[in-house]
Amino acid sequence: MMEELCVEAPFNAPYLEYVVFIPICLVLQLVLLLNTIHKECSKKIYLKGISPVIRISFITLQLIGIYWSLIDLLRFVIDPHTDLMQSNHVLCSVVAYSPKIIVIIYYGIYLHHVFYRLDVTFKNSCLELSKTSKLVLSFVLYIPLISMPTLYLVFLSPKCVWTWHPRDFPQWSHMAFCDAPITHQFAGVVISIGIVWVCLGNLLFGTIFSIKLKKMLRAREGPEAIHTFKIKAVMVKNTILVSCASLFTLCNWIGWVVVAAPSGLGSTLLYLDVLLNVVLVSLMFKYNEKYYKLLCRCCIRKCLTEFDKTFNEKPAVMKQQLERYLGNVEVSKSTLTPSKVVCKPQIPKRTASTTITRRSAPQRLDSVDSVDSSSVNTPNSPSGKVNFAYNTDLN
């Protein structure tokens, strides 16, 4: 039995845009998922130390993105010619309501992934997020993630079959697809808030990563903290990739709201953004390190030379470390000696000296997955020790 027709004006977006971009994005996402599964099943050394939360959330992100693209492939590409979904009550409900809810879930999982990386990277360090900051970020992230899909389901719009007159194939006036137009005013407000939340969430986490990286690169040599080249490389990588993902998401959603929603052109920007987010998150993992260095070589070099305040103090050593890191060559022990960097001076004026304890085990510069930690003993801390260690086990 065919569902009722929508009362809205016929949909006039170009059919060719959907039939080309959705299958391409879907195939590329499937390739990335197969690569992830292959790496997970390989049990090689580059998976050791990677948090299960990081791995599970990334796989979940990929599965949700594939589901989103697959649903719209059935809705916009296949069903207009077969009427398979339109003639089935259950299938029509699934393809009509899923895209409205899956958007919030997808970006919620992505922001959770980024938030976890941000939290664990700086845990027990001088740049660790405060309890208040964690509470505020958790509120901003998880409350909308739970409440908005629920509110949308409460004020659910009835599904219907929306007629489609594609502007590139005017002779195909018989086309239609299942949809749930936003007829309830409050449901429209929920969707609008969801779009704003996605954009602001990406902007917020991209900004936080950039501020943390700026503080680290501005740190001077001193006795209060120890930073190695490897730790800076990890932060540069996370900041570059998160910032790029935030920028792409902002541009794609603004383009969708300004251009695609009113005219129907550029509707596939959202599928492109889903693909780009998955690609950028995958580059954060160690097994894709060589691709990250290849694609972001210029940004890495600029961050670790022009923006790093310690580069000019020891340019020969820093340049050697940078070139060997970019060339994916193991660095000798002599060039891996940690450098003392002031993160934030906290020693009272009456204190004349500070005892620094180091771990002596050298690390590889071509890998950013192992822990490099340092601790500082200061009289003004409750236990006499302040830990400035950065966790690099995330990748």
Side-chain angles (χ1 to χ4, degrees):
M1 179 180 177
M2 186 72 68
E3 297 289 337
E4 295 183 0
L5 294 176
C6 301
V7 297
E8 283 75 16
F11 189 62
N12 64 350
Y15 176 73
L16 192 61
E17 182 179 349
Y18 288 91
V19 81
V20 172
F21 283 98
I22 294 181
I24 291 176
C25 291
L26 181 59
V27 169
L28 292 177
Q29 289 181 73
L30 288 172
V31 171
L32 288 171
L33 178 62
L34 291 176
N35 178 66
T36 302
I37 295 174
H38 171 70
K39 300 300 183 183
E40 289 290 330
C41 296
S42 62
K43 297 182 180 180
K44 291 188 177 180
I45 192 171
Y46 47 62
L47 291 177
K48 292 182 179 180
I50 303 179
S51 169
V53 176
I54 291 289
R55 295 158 65 179
I56 293 173
S57 63
F58 178 51
I59 294 175
T60 304
L61 183 73
Q62 291 178 284
L63 292 175
I64 294 175
I66 290 172
Y67 175 79
W68 182 1
S69 300
L70 181 61
I71 285 294
D72 279 355
L73 177 70
L74 295 173
R75 187 162 67 121
F76 291 119
V77 178
I78 298 175
D79 191 51
H81 297 290
T82 62
D83 296 339
L84 178 64
M85 308 294 169
Q86 301 169 39
S87 58
N88 187 292
H89 178 76
V90 175
L91 292 178
C92 189
S93 299
V94 170
V95 299
Y97 295 129
S98 290
K100 304 293 191 302
I101 301 173
I102 206 68
V103 174
I104 302 300
I105 298 176
Y106 175 84
Y107 285 102
I109 296 296
Y110 167 75
L111 293 175
H112 163 76
H113 184 96
V114 174
F115 178 46
Y116 188 83
R117 283 181 175 271
L118 179 65
D119 181 27
V120 180
T121 300
F122 295 107
K123 192 173 183 178
N124 299 325
S125 75
C126 58
L127 294 180
E128 180 182 11
L129 293 172
S130 65
K131 292 183 178 180
T132 304
S133 299
K134 292 179 184 179
L135 183 63
V136 171
L137 290 174
S138 299
F139 179 83
V140 170
L141 174 58
Y142 297 116
I143 296 299
L145 177 60
I146 298 172
S147 61
M148 284 189 288
T150 305
L151 290 173
Y152 177 77
L153 292 175
V154 170
F155 298 95
L156 203 61
S157 303
K159 67 180 181 303
C160 58
V161 174
W162 196 351
T163 57
W164 188 2
H165 297 165
R167 63 184 67 184
D168 50 348
F169 296 100
Q171 67 275 17
W172 292 354
S173 58
H174 64 282
M175 293 175 61
F177 60 92
C178 293
D179 197 26
I182 304 173
T183 56
H184 196 287
Q185 184 176 5
F186 191 76
V189 173
V190 171
I191 296 297
S192 301
I193 293 176
I195 295 174
V196 173
W197 172 74
V198 168
C199 295
L200 292 182
N202 277 271
L203 182 62
L204 175 63
F205 283 104
T207 302
I208 292 175
F209 263 105
S210 300
I211 292 174
K212 297 291 184 183
L213 177 64
K214 185 178 180 180
K215 288 182 178 180
M216 179 180 290
L217 295 182
R218 282 188 172 185
R220 294 286 184 179
E221 291 194 359
E224 283 77 19
I226 294 178
H227 296 263
T228 63
F229 180 89
K230 187 183 68 171
I231 294 173
K232 293 182 181 181
V234 172
M235 280 311 304
V236 166
K237 178 173 73 170
N238 286 335
T239 304
I240 289 174
L241 296 176
V242 171
S243 299
C244 287
S246 302
L247 180 62
F248 288 144
T249 297
L250 284 173
C251 293
N252 286 328
W253 273 99
I254 291 174
W256 185 83
V257 171
V258 174
V259 178
S263 65
L265 293 172
S267 298
T268 53
L269 286 174
L270 300 185
Y271 312 111
L272 178 63
D273 188 57
V274 170
L275 175 63
L276 289 175
N277 277 329
V278 172
V279 170
L280 291 171
V281 172
S282 69
L283 291 176
M284 297 180 187
F285 288 85
K286 177 182 175 182
Y287 51 75
N288 290 322
E289 185 91 1
K290 61 180 179 180
Y291 303 112
Y292 156 71
K293 293 176 183 178
L294 178 64
L295 295 173
C296 305
R297 183 175 296 269
C298 294
C299 295
I300 297 171
R301 192 180 298 276
K302 191 173 185 67
C303 288
L304 293 175
T305 55
E306 295 185 21
F307 300 151
D308 189 355
K309 299 302 181 181
T310 62
F311 183 84
N312 292 331
E313 297 174 3
K314 296 180 180 180
V317 175
M318 294 296 292
K319 186 175 181 180
Q320 183 184 25
Q321 290 178 328
L322 175 60
E323 294 303 325
R324 292 187 178 184
Y325 170 72
L326 293 176
N328 202 26
V329 177
E330 187 173 359
V331 182
S332 61
K333 296 181 180 180
S334 60
T335 59
L336 279 169
T337 303
S339 58
K340 304 174 185 179
V341 184
V342 175
C343 185
K344 186 178 180 181
Q346 298 182 4
I347 300 178
K349 292 182 179 179
R350 65 176 182 274
T351 303
S353 62
T354 303
T355 304
I356 300 176
T357 304
R358 300 180 183 176
R359 290 188 181 183
S360 59
Q363 309 290 338
R364 288 171 56 94
L365 283 185
D366 59 321
S367 165
V368 287
D369 286 323
S370 53
V371 177
D372 189 317
S373 60
S374 308
S375 60
V376 180
N377 298 328
T378 56
N380 62 330
S381 62
S383 62
K385 178 179 287 188
V386 178
N387 191 359
F388 289 87
Y390 289 82
N391 187 355
T392 56
D393 270 345
L394 301 178
N395 307 284

